[in-house]
Amino acid sequence: MKLVTFLSWLTAFYSFSGCWASELSFLVEPTDVIAVRDRLLMLDCQVQGEEPITITWRKNGVPVPSTPRVRVLENGTLLIKSFQKRREGVDADMGEYDCAAQNRYGLLVSRKAKVHLASLPKFHTHPASMSVDEGGVARFQCQIDGVPEARITWEKGRVLLNTTDSRYTLLPMGILQVTGVRKADAGVFRCVATNIANTRYSHEATLNVTGGTPRTYKEPVILSGPQNLTITVHQTAILECIATGNPRPIVSWSRLDGRSIGVEGIQVLGTGNLMISDVSLQHSGVYVCAANRPGTRMRRTALGRLVVQAPPEFLQWPQSVSKPAGGSAVFTCVAQGVPEPHLIWLKNGKVLMPGHNIKLTNNNSTLALTRISSEDEAIYQCIAENSAGTNQASARLAVAQGKDLPEAPRGFTGKALSTHALQISWDQPPTNVTESIIGYVLHIRKIGEADSLELQEAISKGNFQHDVTNLEPATTYSLYLKAYSPMGASQQSHTVTVTTLGGVPAPPTYFTKVLNSSAVQVLWELPTKAGMVEGFRLSYRRVPHADYQSPIQLPCYVNAHTMSNLEPGAVYEIKLVAYNGNGESDCSKRLVSLAEEGATDQSTGGDRLCQCRDGEASLGSIVIGIHIGTACIIFCVLFLMFGYRRNLFCSKGTQDSWSPSRIQPVHTGIPKDGEALPRGESQVVCPAQCQVIIDQHSSGLHAMGTG
């Protein structure tokens, strides 16, 4: 309780004091910009915080080197004297820029600013010539992709078009509409596109106006309806709708979901185009353009979807905190936007990944740090990103360190007491240190389990020996100890692993796979219960050598190992055991042949285990695992003996007395007709017992041949 009280007081003190007043933060961040080739470009970055502050710039994540052409001004602004396009052997100046500010508390990274080169390529859609009846509707369109977006104007007879005539409607996306066409409208039109990079002229298109024909009834027709459009909030949306017919149709707009379009910010351009100024998220939806014949229900419709996006905005910012060493800290960051923002965390400008003391939950909106040390002291940033933009918020973690922090407990050891209990002990610190300690905390978890499943147990300050009970039998545990004072926690003691009594692990189930003539892969099943196994030892020897290679130590979470650089064509015996603090499991062995024929065409075995102490083995285990030449000899002997017995019975006229029940079945492991052995596996063999079986079986064959 004293520790909890102290931590609460310390947090409150730092929260209400003025220690965060000079925290590092951005006053101005760089924004997206369009640069002109060979002209000056400046990107702003202004910060506040405790001096001294160092500002650096990065492009596409790589530091921007200082050159006579590119340098950082004293106020943090990045100056590029002559913006360059890509040249041979030289990267272009285009890319994503961010500035990083650093002081003694940590490093802060700004939002990314996209820098594009101004350009105006050729038109990819030119206006097309057309003939329109007098009183009808004409429509010309041109399209060009400019950076920045080009301003579109129109010329008639190479003279700027007079737009004061209400019959002429110019839409920003390069569309010219002429309603109620007259003879005087005939002529040659062209599109003019202009931006800071260039001015371009489209091909010319001719408008022919035909007249003199009687005005007959024509059903309403929508010449061009609204297109699907995606924009960001506060921009202007223009949905096109132009219709023709006789009599002239009436154009109206509605929403497919039945909601009202409203009147604020709504304007009709020309005879039916809908313009929505300063769009909001509520304007998203499917819009219906209807062309009605006056006085009737005859109408034609066209649909277009408007999607409004919103860049991320923070509903909750992470708050700076001070925590004692050994404690925990939690930062929360909640953002909204359309589409839903993706959150990432940075620690001093580097992406933070979950680790031994770092946990991200709630779709990365919550960052939790446990077992805090001085290495965790940094500036943490929450970056919210979606297709509409980026936003960032930051907070600092200060780790309280005092002169009275105790040293890590020394002489920490552990031993097994029973199947359910361990005993730990450690050295008693000097008296002056003991007085400052308010208690100890033991951290314990099963080997193989995640850190998040770690258990903690409080121990009073006067104890230097402690029994840990209610544990599982034959299970290995990882333990370490921390001492606590009013100023915080010590560093952890060294970690020990101790196994409760109760026996050794069960032998692992495994199989082998021949990869090539000099490599074998061993794979096995991990134990179903964490902590029962501390690790594995893999040994092998080349037959007929008696000595195994030094065992390969493998941790409890590894379930495969590849042995390479073996001798091609040789036969190896492989042994795998699991172990814990009580000892090793029973041995289980396999023979595997690296003969070229076996490596490419044969696969042996299954996943059966032959326990060396069980005295159980099959003829198939040795036949499959033995060298190819020896196997051939055994098959030949079997063939000759069975053939001789068949001939003997036939000659005596007692063929019907041949009964399978007289011969005990021998499980050879040889597949039946049509069956195939799994590729790349080897059966388990135990040479000592299998030799006995061979001798006994050979005696039986001899008796059959002579009986």
Side-chain angles (χ1 to χ4, degrees):
M1 180 63 68
K2 289 178 65 178
L3 179 59
V4 174
T5 303
F6 166 74
L7 296 179
S8 303
W9 172 84
L10 185 64
T11 301
F13 172 78
Y14 275 100
S15 299
F16 292 101
S17 66
C19 66
W20 306 118
S22 58
E23 192 166 341
L24 193 62
S25 62
F26 286 104
L27 296 175
V28 178
E29 295 184 69
T31 57
D32 294 350
V33 67
I34 297 172
V36 181
R37 185 178 179 181
D38 297 329
R39 292 189 186 177
L40 182 74
L41 174 67
M42 299 179 70
L43 295 174
D44 293 328
C45 179
Q46 296 181 22
V47 296
Q48 66 177 1
E50 183 176 320
E51 300 287 350
I53 300 175
T54 303
I55 294 180
T56 56
W57 283 84
R58 299 183 301 182
K59 184 189 78 174
N60 300 331
V62 179
V64 177
S66 180
T67 66
R69 189 178 64 88
V70 181
R71 63 191 180 94
V72 180
L73 303 181
E74 290 184 1
N75 63 356
T77 298
L78 177 65
L79 173 66
I80 302 177
K81 289 185 178 180
S82 179
F83 196 87
Q84 295 296 310
K85 190 178 179 181
R86 183 176 296 276
R87 299 178 301 174
E88 186 176 353
V90 178
D91 288 337
D93 289 328
M94 291 96 73
E96 287 188 337
Y97 287 78
D98 58 53
C99 69
Q102 185 172 16
N103 64 6
R104 70 187 185 96
Y105 296 118
L107 183 142
L108 194 64
V109 179
S110 73
R111 68 174 298 275
K112 290 181 174 63
K114 297 178 181 179
V115 177
H116 300 280
L117 177 67
S119 62
L120 190 64
K122 296 180 180 179
F123 284 93
H124 57 83
T125 299
H126 294 269
S129 298
M130 63 176 59
S131 295
V132 179
D133 292 338
E134 188 174 358
V137 177
R139 180 181 183 272
F140 295 107
Q141 182 177 12
C142 64
Q143 290 181 334
I144 189 170
D145 295 326
V147 179
E149 185 176 344
R151 175 176 175 268
I152 304 295
T153 57
W154 288 85
E155 291 182 351
K156 177 185 177 185
R158 303 207 172 183
V159 176
L160 184 64
L161 190 65
N162 181 10
T163 57
T164 58
D165 191 333
S166 60
R167 297 182 304 107
Y168 287 83
T169 302
L170 277 69
L171 302 183
M173 53 273 207
I175 296 173
L176 170 63
Q177 299 173 350
V178 185
T179 57
V181 172
R182 303 170 183 170
K183 290 286 187 181
D185 295 324
V188 177
F189 294 80
R190 73 174 180 180
C191 179
V192 182
T194 305
N195 70 3
I196 58 176
N198 203 352
T199 297
R200 291 193 179 273
Y201 300 89
S202 72
H203 298 164
E204 294 183 331
T206 302
L207 173 61
N208 296 313
V209 180
T210 58
T213 58
R215 297 180 61 83
T216 59
Y217 165 77
K218 290 184 179 180
E219 291 186 357
V221 175
I222 296 179
L223 296 181
S224 182
Q227 302 296 313
N228 294 336
L229 182 63
T230 300
I231 60 175
T232 305
V233 289
H234 307 306
Q235 292 183 337
T236 298
I238 297 179
L239 301 174
E240 182 187 13
C241 187
I242 183 170
T244 184
N246 187 28
R248 178 183 295 177
I250 299 173
V251 175
S252 61
W253 287 89
S254 62
R255 288 176 59 118
L256 190 61
D257 57 10
R259 294 172 54 189
S260 172
I261 295 178
V263 294
E264 187 175 354
I266 304 298
Q267 183 179 351
V268 176
L269 301 179
T271 58
N273 307 290
L274 181 67
M275 183 174 73
I276 307 175
S277 302
D278 191 22
V279 297
S280 64
L281 294 175
Q282 289 72 26
H283 288 117
S284 290
V286 177
Y287 288 77
V288 182
C289 163
N292 293 73
R293 177 188 173 190
T296 71
R297 294 186 178 181
M298 172 69 69
R299 72 172 190 167
R300 295 289 183 268
T301 60
L303 307 179
R305 180 179 295 276
L306 174 62
V307 177
V308 182
Q309 296 184 337
E313 293 183 355
F314 288 109
L315 300 178
Q316 185 174 352
W317 290 261
Q319 301 296 315
S320 297
V321 293
S322 176
K323 296 289 184 178
S328 300
V330 177
F331 296 106
T332 302
C333 175
V334 180
Q336 67 176 5
V338 179
E340 184 177 352
H342 170 69
L343 300 179
I344 62 173
W345 288 86
L346 305 181
K347 175 186 176 182
N348 284 341
K350 295 182 179 179
V351 176
L352 198 61
M353 303 298 293
H356 70 284
N357 73 322
I358 300 171
K359 188 175 182 181
L360 294 172
T361 56
N362 300 326
N363 292 327
N364 287 1
S365 64
T366 302
L367 167 64
L369 303 173
T370 58
R371 303 191 298 278
I372 293 172
S373 67
S374 58
E375 296 178 355
D376 296 311
E377 191 168 71
I379 294 177
Y380 293 85
Q381 283 182 270
C382 172
I383 308 295
E385 296 179 321
N386 66 8
S387 56
T390 303
N391 206 345
Q392 65 89 20
S394 62
R396 180 164 68 90
L397 171 62
V399 179
Q401 297 285 357
K403 296 179 180 180
D404 295 330
L405 283 179
E407 295 182 354
R410 297 182 179 181
F412 182 63
T413 60
K415 65 179 181 180
L417 289 180
S418 66
T419 57
H420 297 88
L422 301 174
Q423 186 179 81
I424 60 170
S425 60
W426 61 100
D427 297 340
Q428 180 177 351
T431 305
N432 61 330
V433 176
T434 305
E435 292 177 354
S436 66
I437 294 177
I438 60 177
Y440 297 90
V441 174
L442 173 66
H443 299 254
I444 180 170
R445 67 178 176 86
K446 296 179 188 177
I447 290 291
E449 281 190 341
D451 290 346
S452 59
L453 299 177
E454 176 185 270
L455 300 176
Q456 299 180 7
E457 189 170 338
I459 303 172
S460 62
K461 60 178 293 185
N463 292 344
F464 308 103
Q465 181 176 296
H466 180 72
D467 293 345
V468 186
T469 58
N470 298 323
L471 302 179
E472 296 182 13
T475 302
T476 304
Y477 291 88
S478 170
L479 307 97
Y480 66 88
L481 190 69
K482 285 186 177 181
Y484 277 81
S485 76
M487 293 303 296
S490 70
Q491 296 294 317
Q492 70 180 51
S493 68
H494 70 275
T495 302
V496 299
T497 56
V498 186
T499 304
T500 54
L501 301 179
V504 297
T509 300
Y510 73 103
F511 63 94
T512 59
K513 182 177 182 181
V514 178
L515 301 180
N516 52 50
S517 61
S518 64
V520 175
Q521 186 180 38
V522 184
L523 304 99
W524 58 92
E525 296 180 4
L526 293 178
T528 57
K529 204 168 185 181
M532 302 299 288
V533 174
E534 186 175 338
F536 300 92
R537 293 189 179 104
L538 178 64
S539 307
Y540 64 95
R541 68 180 180 91
R542 182 189 167 199
V543 177
H545 297 308
D547 296 332
Y548 285 92
Q549 299 285 340
S550 298
I552 302 169
Q553 296 280 136
L554 299 166
C556 63
Y557 52 82
V558 172
N559 68 335
H561 183 76
T562 300
M563 299 181 299
S564 55
N565 298 324
L566 303 178
E567 184 171 335
V571 176
Y572 283 86
E573 185 179 63
I574 298 172
K575 180 174 70 173
L576 180 70
V577 298
Y579 68 90
N580 61 19
N582 296 322
E584 293 185 349
S585 67
D586 294 333
C587 71
S588 48
K589 304 176 183 178
R590 294 177 184 263
L591 286 180
V592 60
S593 173
L594 295 181
E596 182 176 356
E597 178 184 357
T600 57
D601 298 328
Q602 286 190 0
S603 295
T604 63
D607 51 8
R608 300 193 305 258
L609 290 180
C610 173
Q611 302 305 330
C612 294
R613 68 176 184 177
D614 292 340
E616 296 176 1
S618 66
L619 183 58
S621 299
I622 192 62
V623 171
I624 300 297
I626 202 165
H627 196 273
I628 302 299
T630 305
C632 292
I633 295 174
I634 294 176
F635 281 119
C636 291
V637 172
L638 290 172
F639 178 80
L640 291 175
M641 292 303 175
F642 278 99
Y644 175 80
R645 181 63 178 265
R646 177 182 175 88
N647 292 339
L648 181 62
F649 273 75
C650 289
S651 64
K652 293 182 179 182
T654 59
Q655 184 174 0
D656 293 339
S657 65
W658 180 263
S659 175
S661 62
R662 295 178 57 189
I663 302 177
Q664 295 299 323
V666 178
H667 298 285
T668 63
I670 303 173
K672 299 178 182 179
D673 293 341
E675 292 183 354
L677 288 169
R679 265 187 90 78
E681 297 183 3
S682 300
Q683 289 186 342
V684 180
V685 294
C686 298
Q689 286 91 11
C690 293
Q691 184 61 48
V692 175
I693 295 175
I694 292 173
D695 293 341
Q696 294 172 349
H697 190 61
S698 298
S699 301
L701 292 177
H702 179 71
M704 290 170 55
T706 58

